[in-house]
Amino acid sequence: MEIADAGSALTDEQRAIRDVVREFAVEEIRPTAREADETESFPEDVWDGLAELDLTGLTVPEEYGGFDADRMTYTVVNEQVAYGQLAVATALSVHCLATSCIAKFGSDEQKEAWLPEMARGRPVGMFALSEPDAGSNPAEMSTVARREGDEYVINGKKQWITNGQRGDVCILFAKTDPDDPSSVTQFLVPKDAGIEVGKKEHKLGLRASDTTSLIFDDVHIPAENRLTEEGKGLSAAFRILTGGRMGIAAQAVGLAQSAFDEAREYAHDREQFGGPISDIQAVRHKFSEMATQIHASRLMVREAARQDDAGEDPRIAASMAKYFASEAAVDVTNEAVQIHGGYGYTTDFEVERMYRDSKITTIYEGTSEIQKEVIARGVLD
C-alpha cells in the first residue's frame, strides 16, 4: 500500500498512467534487472517497450508526436519506472532532459528535425554539463565552442554522461569565450559530428546504465545548432535541471518503495523464534520508519510538481524533495538489506542491487550538499 495516494493530488488519468507504468515495471523491467546489472548492459527491449508506451516522448510536445506530460505526470512515471529498475529510469530521465532542451530552446527547424524521432525512442538523448574538473560548479567548465564563420568548433571533455555509449545526440554546454565564465552556451551536437566516446565507467550501482566521458576534438557543428543565445546556457540548464531534480526525487521514491515491498514480503515469509519476523517489534519499527520516510518523500515530490504545474517557482521545493527523498532512499534500502539479514548481502535478493543503486540519487543532478545550499539560499538569502 502506498499511503500517500490516499488524498493525493493525482487525477484519475494520472492514476491510470501510474498503474499502467507500474505493471510494465513489474512485468517487463524487473525481470531483466538482475542480468542487466550483472552484465552491465542496458536492456534495449525494455527501452523499446517504453517507446511503445510513448514514455520516450514524455517531455515532447504533442505536435511533434510526444506525450507532453505535465510535471505531476512526469514524476509519477519516473517513480514507477524506477520501481522496476533505477538504471532504466535514469536513462529515460536523461533522454527527457535532452528532449526538454530541444522543446524549450530549439528553433522550429530543430524541433521538427529531432523531436518526432526522439519521441519514438531513437535517437537516444544525452545531456553534457559536468566535466572532470567542473562537476558541482559548471561555471568553471573548460569546454569551448569557438565561432568560425558559419560554424562552431568544439574542444573539451565532458564526464559522467548517461547514455554515453548508446546515445546519438548530445545537448552540450560550452563556453564561447574560454576566459568568460558567463559565456556558457547550449548546443545540439549529433554524435556523428565527431564526438569520441571515452571509457565506460564501472560503478558501484546503476550498472545497467552506460556512463562515459565524451571527448570533443575540433568537432564542427553548424552555427544553427546553437540552442540558446551565447551566454544564456547556464540559466537554461538550471531551468531544465529543476524539473530533472523532481524526476530524480521521484525515482528515489520508486526505488525505496520497491525495496520496502521486497522487505515486507520477506518479513512475512521468514520465520524466526516461532513466527514470522514481521511479528518482532524491532522489525516492525523498522517498517514504521521506512514507510514514514517514503510517505514524506512522495508528498514532497508531488508538492514540488504541483508548484511547477501551477506556474509557481518550484526551485526550493524541488531541491528539498531531491535532498530528502534521495537520502531516504539510502536509508530505506539499507534497512531492507538489514531485514533480510545475511541473505540481503547476496546477489540472490533484489535488495542488494537496490542498496547499491540508491547512493547515486544523492549525487547526480546536484549532490545533497548542493541541494542544501540551494535551500539555504532560498530560506536565508
Side-chain angles (χ1 to χ4, degrees):
M1 177 183 180
E2 297 175 8
I3 58 176
D5 284 336
S8 74
L10 297 188
T11 64
D12 290 343
E13 181 181 5
Q14 287 163 343
R15 289 191 179 92
I17 292 169
R18 177 201 61 195
D19 294 344
V20 168
V21 182
R22 170 64 72 87
E23 182 179 5
F24 182 81
V26 171
E27 296 185 359
E28 303 295 334
I29 301 178
R30 179 65 67 79
T32 71
R34 181 175 300 172
E35 181 180 359
D37 179 76
E38 291 175 351
T39 61
E40 299 187 32
S41 58
F42 190 84
E44 295 295 345
D45 288 347
V46 167
W47 186 260
D48 294 337
L50 292 172
E52 290 176 7
L53 290 174
D54 295 329
L55 300 183
T56 49
L58 199 59
T59 58
V60 174
E62 290 182 2
E63 63 188 289
Y64 298 104
F67 193 99
D68 199 19
D70 56 37
R71 188 62 67 190
M72 187 70 75
T73 302
Y74 176 79
T75 58
V76 167
V77 169
N78 270 274
E79 177 182 339
Q80 300 309 321
V81 175
Y83 187 89
Q85 187 178 19
L86 184 65
V88 173
T90 299
L92 179 63
S93 67
V94 170
H95 177 78
C96 289
L97 285 180
T99 57
S100 293
C101 289
I102 299 170
K104 285 185 177 293
F105 306 111
S107 65
D108 290 341
E109 293 76 14
Q110 289 167 333
K111 294 175 186 177
E112 188 62 46
W114 291 97
L115 290 180
E117 291 188 0
M118 293 180 78
R120 292 191 290 269
R122 318 276 178 179
V124 175
M126 301 174 282
F127 187 85
L129 180 63
S130 295
E131 296 189 1
D133 298 316
S136 294
N137 185 11
E140 295 299 316
M141 70 176 61
S142 58
T143 300
V144 174
R146 186 178 67 257
R147 182 71 181 258
E148 292 187 0
D150 293 333
E151 293 185 325
Y152 283 92
V153 181
I154 306 167
N155 284 278
K157 181 178 181 181
K158 293 296 181 177
Q159 189 73 21
W160 316 121
I161 308 303
T162 296
N163 299 330
Q165 284 187 328
R166 55 191 297 272
D168 302 292
V169 58
C170 175
I171 303 303
L172 172 74
F173 296 84
K175 292 178 179 176
T176 54
D177 180 347
D179 300 319
D180 183 3
S182 68
S183 70
V184 175
T185 305
Q186 185 180 183
F187 300 90
L188 187 157
V189 187
K191 182 184 280 183
D192 61 12
I195 301 174
E196 178 185 347
V197 178
K199 77 177 183 70
K200 182 179 177 180
E201 303 292 346
H202 300 285
K203 308 183 297 292
L204 170 70
L206 214 69
R207 291 177 176 174
S209 173
D210 53 312
T211 306
T212 73
S213 58
L214 296 180
I215 300 161
F216 299 81
D217 185 6
D218 282 344
V219 173
H220 291 247
I221 60 170
E224 57 261 30
N225 280 29
R226 192 184 71 206
L227 287 175
T228 62
E229 295 179 19
E230 292 190 1
K232 301 296 185 181
L234 272 188
S235 60
F238 293 150
R239 285 175 59 187
I240 294 296
L241 286 174
T242 295
R245 286 169 177 171
M246 294 182 211
I248 298 301
Q251 290 174 23
V253 175
L255 176 64
Q257 183 70 58
S258 192
F260 179 92
D261 290 350
E262 290 287 322
R264 178 172 53 189
E265 181 178 354
Y266 180 84
H268 284 316
D269 292 341
R270 175 67 168 170
E271 292 196 358
Q272 290 283 288
F273 307 109
I277 63 171
S278 58
D279 288 343
I280 299 172
Q281 186 182 61
V283 174
R284 297 174 69 82
H285 287 182
K286 286 183 184 296
F287 280 105
S288 298
E289 294 164 1
M290 294 158 70
T292 301
Q293 286 180 292
I294 295 169
H295 178 63
S297 297
R298 184 177 287 116
L299 291 178
M300 291 178 75
V301 171
R302 292 188 180 172
E303 170 57 17
R306 184 205 62 77
Q307 290 182 18
D308 200 7
D309 286 336
E312 303 170 19
D313 185 348
R315 285 176 295 178
I316 304 305
S319 284
M320 286 180 171
K322 204 275 187 183
Y323 163 58
F324 187 89
S326 63
E327 295 290 342
V330 174
D331 291 343
V332 170
T333 55
N334 174 54
E335 291 288 31
V337 170
Q338 193 72 17
I339 288 166
H340 279 72
Y343 291 111
Y345 202 66
T346 71
T347 57
D348 292 337
F349 288 79
E350 300 288 347
V351 292
E352 178 270 342
R353 170 180 51 81
M354 295 173 183
Y355 182 41
R356 288 187 286 105
D357 283 353
S358 68
K359 185 56 186 174
I360 192 60
T361 65
T362 70
I363 298 173
Y364 58 11
E365 290 200 35
T367 63
S368 290
E369 290 74 19
I370 289 295
Q371 304 312 321
K372 290 179 184 179
E373 183 58 28
V374 173
I375 296 164
R377 285 201 300 265
V379 300
L380 294 175
D381 303 336

